[in-house]
Amino acid sequence: MKIQQNISLKDYNTFGIDAKAKFFIEISNINDLREALQLKGHPEILVLSGGSNMLITKDIEALVLYINIKGIELLTQDDDTITLKVMAGENWHQLVLWTLQKGYGGLENMSLIPGNTGTAPIQNIGAYGVELQDVFVGCEAINIDNQTKKSFNKEDCKFGYRDSYFKNEGKGKYIIVSVTLRLTKRNHAIHMSYGAIEAELVKKKIDTPTITDISNAVISIRKSKLPDPAELGNSGSFFKNPIISRSKFDTFTKDYPDAPYYKVSSDAYKIPAGWLIEQCGFKGKRFGDAGVHKHQALVLVNHGRATGVEILSLSQRIIETVKDKFSITIHPEVNIIK
Ligand code: EPU
C-alpha cells in the first residue's frame, strides 16, 4: 500500500476537475482498505471510485481512498438464474457487457452508466425503466470506524429514486466493497416500455428484441443525448427529477399543459428537471468553461478548465431560476465535495 502525495484528481473524476489530493492511496484489496482506515492522523477520508457522481470544489485535505478492488465471483446458479458477487472497483459498463456476452439478463437497460459497481447502490443507479434494486441481492461494506465487514440485504439498503441508506443514515459510515446481483439465464424480462427504447427499436426494425438489442438501443440513445466524459467532462444528470404533490401538479399543468411528467403515485408526480431547465433557457449555454449540455439540459459539463466552484455556481443559478419560474425546487443528484 503506497501513500501518494499532492496528486491531481483530474483523471479520477468524470467532471475532469483539476483539484489536488494531499494524500492518496489506491486500494486493491480489503486488507489494504482496513490498513488505510487504521492509519493515524487522518481523521477524515474521501472515498473515490469511478468519480462519476461527484463535483470536487476544492483541493482535498482528507485522505483520498481510491477503491480499485477487482473481481467477479459466481455464487449460485440454477437453470433460470445466476447470482454474482462483483467487487466494488469493477467498471459498471464493462460488467454489463460481460454479463451480456455470457447471456445473462438484467443489466441491459443500465448500459453505459459511468462509474464503478461499488457506488451503484449508493444512489440506486437506474435508466430506461430499470433500477439497480431490480437485480440487487445485497452488498458488503467495511465499517469506517471499526473496519468490520457488514452484509446488507436489499431491505437494509432502503432504496428509493436515486436514493439509499448510504445517502442518509449510513452516510460516511461504510465503504462498499462488493455487490451481489441476481441475473436471469433465460426467459429474460425485456423492459422496452420506456419511450425512447421503443422508438429506437422501431428505427432498427426489431420487434422481438434480445437483451443485447436492448443494450444496443440504450447505448445509441445515451450516446445521442449524454456526453462521453472522456470527451467532455460531466457527471451524468446533475439534478434529480423533482417530485411534486398532486395539488402542486394541478396548478403546474394548468400553466404548462405540454410539460412532460410521470405519475409516481396518486399524490406524487415527477417532472423532468431537464425540461424545466430547458424552459429557463439554459440548454446549450456556456459560462466560461462551465456549461449546460446542448442535448440534455440535466447534464452540466466542463468544457475544459472549469473549476468545481464555477460549475457549482452555475448549478445554483439554475436552481434559483427554475424556482422563480416554476416554484419548484430541484436538487443536485451529484455529491458535492465542499
Ligand atoms: N427533456 C427536455 N429537455 C432536456 C432534457 C429532457 O425537455 O434538455 C424532456 C424529454 O423530452 C423527456 C423528459 O424530459 O420528455 C425526460 O427526458 P429523458 O428521457 O432524457 O430522461 P431524464 O428524466 O431527463 C432520467 C435519468 C437519466 C436516465 C434517463 C433515462 C434522472 C435524474 N436522470 O433522465 O439518468 O439516463 O432518465 O432513464 O433520473 C443519470 O442519472 O446520470 C442519468 C443520466
Side-chain angles (χ1 to χ4, degrees):
M1 197 182 71
K2 192 169 114 206
I3 305 182
Q4 293 173 264
Q5 291 195 28
N6 292 320
I7 75 148
S8 167
L9 294 176
K10 196 174 189 324
D11 294 337
Y12 294 94
N13 71 100
T14 60
F15 252 124
I17 302 293
D18 193 7
K20 279 204 171 54
K22 210 163 179 186
F23 302 100
F24 178 99
I25 303 178
E26 177 170 345
I27 303 289
S28 48
N29 59 60
I30 294 176
N31 284 342
D32 278 0
L33 178 57
R34 290 199 165 107
E35 206 180 307
L37 290 172
Q38 285 164 3
L39 285 176
K40 297 276 179 275
H42 289 293
E44 288 209 31
I45 57 161
L46 174 72
V47 183
L48 186 74
S49 187
S52 62
N53 201 41
M54 56 164 55
L55 176 66
I56 304 175
T57 62
K58 61 171 180 46
D59 288 344
I60 307 295
E61 296 289 323
L63 170 65
V64 175
L65 300 181
Y66 170 55
I67 309 298
N68 198 21
I69 309 173
K70 302 279 192 198
I72 302 176
E73 189 186 332
L74 190 166
L75 294 185
T76 58
Q77 64 177 323
D78 56 26
D79 291 344
D80 297 313
T81 61
I82 183 155
T83 311
L84 300 171
K85 174 169 155 177
V86 185
M87 300 311 286
E90 289 290 342
N91 173 273
W92 178 262
H93 182 59
Q94 293 310 316
L95 170 70
V96 175
L97 294 180
W98 182 87
T99 60
L100 289 170
Q101 225 173 41
K102 301 264 180 198
Y104 306 148
L107 305 186
E108 55 282 357
N109 292 57
M110 294 183 281
S111 297
L112 218 58
I113 295 184
N116 288 349
T117 306
T119 41
I122 301 178
Q123 59 150 345
N124 182 25
I125 59 168
Y128 304 102
V130 177
E131 288 183 326
L132 180 77
Q133 62 172 332
D134 301 326
V135 289
F136 183 89
V137 177
C139 63
E140 291 177 317
I142 300 293
N143 181 312
I144 292 178
D145 284 339
N146 59 21
Q147 295 88 52
T148 54
K149 198 197 270 178
K150 181 171 158 130
S151 296
F152 291 84
N153 64 27
K154 190 162 151 180
E155 226 166 67
D156 300 329
C157 292
K158 297 186 183 163
F159 290 125
Y161 164 59
R162 296 290 192 278
D163 202 26
S164 76
Y165 168 82
F166 301 103
K167 268 190 154 183
N168 297 292
E169 307 95 292
K171 191 171 178 167
K173 292 191 185 148
Y174 295 96
I175 298 175
I176 296 172
V177 289
S178 74
V179 176
T180 300
L181 305 170
R182 182 168 300 122
L183 304 177
T184 48
K185 287 168 68 179
R186 59 181 188 190
N187 303 324
H188 307 297
I190 299 288
H191 299 277
M192 53 185 277
S193 57
Y194 196 95
I197 294 192
E198 255 177 343
E200 188 64 31
L201 293 169
V202 168
K203 204 164 93 190
K204 291 181 170 164
K205 299 196 170 64
I206 298 171
D207 351 293
T208 41
T210 63
I211 46 179
T212 301
D213 293 331
I214 297 285
S215 169
N216 288 336
V218 168
I219 290 173
S220 305
I221 301 163
R222 287 189 76 104
K223 281 195 167 157
S224 70
K225 283 192 180 178
L226 300 169
D228 177 353
E231 286 158 23
L232 186 60
N234 76 91
S235 204
S237 300
F238 193 91
F239 301 98
K240 288 199 260 192
N241 288 327
I243 295 174
I244 59 175
S245 67
R246 177 68 207 251
S247 63
K248 208 162 183 183
F249 175 73
D250 288 343
T251 328
F252 173 76
T253 38
K254 231 178 259 150
D255 293 342
Y256 303 97
D258 298 332
Y261 66 89
Y262 323 96
K263 187 171 177 179
V264 180
S265 71
S266 58
D267 191 40
Y269 290 78
K270 200 190 264 184
I271 313 293
W275 184 87
L276 299 170
I277 298 166
E278 180 171 351
Q279 295 301 305
C280 292
F282 282 107
K283 193 169 182 171
K285 285 272 158 65
R286 185 171 168 168
F287 305 86
D289 270 358
V292 178
H293 189 50
K294 59 180 178 200
H295 300 311
Q296 165 54 292
L298 199 50
V299 177
L300 301 190
V301 293
N302 175 6
H303 286 284
R305 293 211 184 128
T307 62
V309 170
E310 285 165 339
I311 289 172
L312 181 63
S313 64
L314 172 57
S315 77
Q316 284 158 346
R317 185 163 163 187
I318 292 172
I319 292 171
E320 279 159 27
T321 314
V322 167
K323 173 89 185 153
D324 286 349
K325 186 168 167 73
F326 298 103
S327 303
I328 293 175
T329 304
I330 57 171
H331 297 280
E333 186 205 89
V334 301
N335 190 8
I336 294 166
I337 314 293
K338 284 192 190 164

